[in-house]
Amino acid sequence: MSITNVAKASRHTSAGIRLSSQLVNRLAVEVQRSAQARSEIVGLLFGLAEDDLIHIQSFKSFPKTDRNSSKSLQPERLDEFFRVLLIASRTDREVSALGLIGWYSVRASGGLDQSDIAFHDRHFPRLTDVALILSSEEQVDVLLEVYARSAAGLLTQEEHRRGALRLSGGMQAAGPIEMTLSAKGSDERL
């Protein structure tokens, strides 16, 4: 897996993201599962957030969702999945010592859409909360996109912080992966 995108984070316009190698390797398997089943996999991210560095260490998936099924991805259904998984995480030995720091979606295409923004707005109000979107490219590479609110607290298609990297298929991450979320929108003017 070849990747690099490490930079020093600024408190106002960017943030550093560190993904554990175990998380990246497990998510790569989820991307393959999603592509084979032609379904979306959605869940919660757990880790630790400091002022300018967010450590994403683990994830837990919602029950199987099908992007083609309007019922499984309705906001009420996703909100219920969120509540059930959040309660279960408090006694889950893998994530109970970690904080809820965001959510993820494994799907056919990348990018942040209006339903993603609405879900994030309902459940993730902090500047350090992230949305991780993973999509398969050419059935080999994985595009990993991380989104967070702008320094002004906004998460819109026009204003947010974002980082992206491409993971080359067939290899395992040997160590943590670091990337920077950079501003889009009014943050760029600060």
Side-chain angles (χ1 to χ4, degrees), residues 42-97:
V42 181
L44 301 179
L45 297 170
F46 299 88
L48 304 168
E50 299 172 3
D51 287 340
D52 59 355
L53 185 61
I54 301 163
H55 304 267
I56 305 173
Q57 297 174 317
S58 191
F59 69 91
K60 292 293 179 178
S61 300
F62 291 165
K64 185 178 177 183
T65 57
D66 181 354
R67 189 113 174 125
N68 298 323
S69 168
S70 60
K71 185 176 182 178
S72 65
L73 291 176
Q74 290 177 344
E76 302 80 24
R77 187 90 165 145
L78 288 176
D79 291 346
E80 180 61 25
F81 291 156
F82 172 86
R83 283 188 291 279
V84 168
L85 192 53
L86 185 59
I87 291 167
S89 73
R90 294 179 185 141
T91 57
D92 185 318
R93 292 172 52 187
E94 181 183 343
V95 298
S96 62

Side-chain angles (χ1 to χ4, degrees), residues 100-122:
L100 176 66
I101 58 170
W103 62 278
Y104 77 97
S105 175
V106 178
R107 56 192 184 207
S109 62
L112 196 63
D113 63 33
Q114 290 300 334
S115 63
D116 297 331
I117 293 166
F119 180 76
H120 197 85
D121 282 345
R122 286 192 307 275

Side-chain angles (χ1 to χ4, degrees), residues 1-188:
M1 191 172 292
S2 64
I3 44 163
T4 36
N5 185 4
V6 179
K8 195 172 186 180
S10 160
R11 185 174 196 157
H12 297 290
T13 60
S14 63
I17 299 288
R18 180 175 292 145
L19 301 124
S20 74
S21 59
Q22 178 186 5
L23 172 97
V24 171
N25 294 334
R26 286 181 54 213
L27 283 171
V29 170
E30 294 292 292
V31 170
Q32 295 305 319
R33 267 189 33 212
S34 174
Q36 290 170 352
R38 297 177 191 245
S39 64
E40 182 172 6
I41 300 171
V42 181
L44 301 179
L45 297 170
F46 299 88
L48 304 168
E50 299 172 3
D51 287 340
D52 59 355
L53 185 61
I54 301 163
H55 304 267
I56 305 173
Q57 297 174 317
S58 191
F59 69 91
K60 292 293 179 178
S61 300
F62 291 165
K64 185 178 177 183
T65 57
D66 181 354
R67 189 113 174 125
N68 298 323
S69 168
S70 60
K71 185 176 182 178
S72 65
L73 291 176
Q74 290 177 344
E76 302 80 24
R77 187 90 165 145
L78 288 176
D79 291 346
E80 180 61 25
F81 291 156
F82 172 86
R83 283 188 291 279
V84 168
L85 192 53
L86 185 59
I87 291 167
S89 73
R90 294 179 185 141
T91 57
D92 185 318
R93 292 172 52 187
E94 181 183 343
V95 298
S96 62
L98 302 171
L100 176 66
I101 58 170
W103 62 278
Y104 77 97
S105 175
V106 178
R107 56 192 184 207
S109 62
L112 196 63
D113 63 33
Q114 290 300 334
S115 63
D116 297 331
I117 293 166
F119 180 76
H120 197 85
D121 282 345
R122 286 192 307 275
H123 300 290
F124 299 97
R126 300 174 304 190
L127 291 177
T128 55
D129 290 332
V130 297
L132 172 61
I133 310 295
L134 297 107
S135 56
S136 181
E137 293 190 333
E138 300 175 19
Q139 300 180 347
V140 177
D141 293 346
V142 174
L143 177 62
L144 186 147
E145 300 170 281
V146 180
Y147 295 88
R149 294 181 183 284
S150 68
L154 300 174
L155 180 70
T156 67
Q157 289 180 328
E158 295 78 31
E159 189 168 340
H160 55 264
R161 291 176 295 159
R162 177 184 180 270
L165 53 86
R166 183 171 277 96
L167 307 174
S168 298
M171 298 174 68
Q172 297 285 307
I177 295 168
E178 295 185 11
M179 61 190 295
T180 298
L181 296 183
S182 298
K184 179 175 185 209
S186 66
D187 279 15
E188 294 171 323

